[in-house]
Amino acid sequence: MEKELDRVIEEIMATPNVNGCLVADHQGLCLASKGTAHVDSAGMIVAISEQACKIQPNLKPPTVCLETDTKQCLIQRHGTITGAIFKQKS
Amino acid sequence: MVDDLRKYLNHLLEKVNGLFSIIITDRDGVPLVRAVTERAPELALRPNFISTFGMATDQASKLGLGRNKTIISMYSSYQVIQMNKLPLVITFIGSDNCNTGHILSLESQIEPCLKELAAVVADAP
């Protein structure tokens, strides 16, 4: 059932500098995760994207980028599904 | 101690959208600390509702999957998340569309505060 999702995750993980990937549903429950992405952070990731959507509720959901010195976390919501990609800065 | 914990629970309540209450009880459903908003359903705050978790978690632990840690109950307009921290039970009540994952992640934030309370309850006759 989740074959297609696993394939997409594998594809994302194969991208250079990506070391983690997580997909969660609208309830903040983890659908899939791979690499450094922790299952327990699914709720927090969905909450961040929800809060970001409130900034401009009439526009499509924004991409949130959390950045540290060495790493990046990109969060994007699509309908009820939220995805997060953890990247090493190049 | 309890006042500080209540304040902390109230602070956590504000952090999660749609979360109505956090209740820490013993396994019989006797409330020890409560942080409740006015939107919480009265029936779900009663000991006879909360104490059913004690039985449910015992039965769920017999399924051969190891000790049961959490039970999430989804209702038409509410969700109830109960965590097994025996001798304590943590009950979260939220709206049906509340972020379940976010509530589950509160466990790690509440757990360090429970040590003293668990020791008191365990020592009680």
Side-chain angles (χ1 to χ4, degrees), chain B residues 21-38:
Chain B
S21 69
I22 306 174
I23 312 157
I24 299 174
T25 62
D26 70 357
R27 64 170 302 146
D28 300 319
V30 178
L32 302 168
V33 191
R34 279 178 15 153
V36 183
T37 65
E38 66 278 4

Side-chain angles (χ1 to χ4, degrees), chain A residues 22-31 39-47 49-50 77 79-82, chain B residues 16-18 72-81 94-105:
Chain A
L22 183 144
V23 182
D25 70 357
H26 67 291
Q27 296 245 278
L29 299 173
C30 186
L31 298 174
V39 175
D40 293 346
S41 55
M44 203 65 80
I45 285 166
V46 173
S49 82
E50 259 171 22
R77 189 187 182 117
T80 60
I81 305 293
T82 304
Chain B
V16 183
N17 267 343
I72 303 170
S73 315
M74 300 297 261
Y75 297 93
S76 54
S77 47
Y78 296 103
Q79 62 176 290
V80 179
I81 298 169
S95 63
D96 59 330
N97 55 4
C98 178
N99 188 332
T100 315
H102 201 184
I103 296 174
L104 291 173
S105 73

Side-chain angles (χ1 to χ4, degrees), chain B residues 8-16 19 22 106 109-110:
Chain B
Y8 183 58
L9 294 184
N10 275 315
H11 164 72
L12 291 179
L13 264 189
E14 287 167 17
K15 280 216 287 195
V16 183
L19 181 59
I22 306 174
L106 294 182
Q109 295 175 55
I110 295 180

Side-chain angles (χ1 to χ4, degrees), chain A:
Chain A
M1 191 178 84
E2 64 273 22
K3 249 184 200 164
E4 191 65 17
L5 186 60
D6 285 340
R7 193 184 58 76
V8 172
I9 294 238
E10 290 293 346
E11 226 168 79
I12 294 167
M13 288 300 286
T15 317
N17 295 324
V18 170
N19 52 18
C21 180
L22 183 144
V23 182
D25 70 357
H26 67 291
Q27 296 245 278
L29 299 173
C30 186
L31 298 174
S33 81
K34 194 130 201 180
T36 53
H38 201 277
V39 175
D40 293 346
S41 55
M44 203 65 80
I45 285 166
V46 173
I48 289 170
S49 82
E50 259 171 22
Q51 294 298 330
C53 287
K54 285 180 189 165
I55 297 172
Q56 284 181 310
N58 299 325
L59 299 181
K60 68 174 195 159
T63 303
V64 182
C65 175
L66 307 170
E67 222 173 308
T68 67
D69 287 344
T70 56
K71 287 174 186 172
Q72 246 183 351
C73 173
L74 297 161
I75 302 170
Q76 165 80 70
R77 189 187 182 117
H78 191 90
T80 60
I81 305 293
T82 304
I85 297 174
F86 294 77
K87 284 177 79 174
Q88 200 73 38
K89 263 192 187 172
S90 50

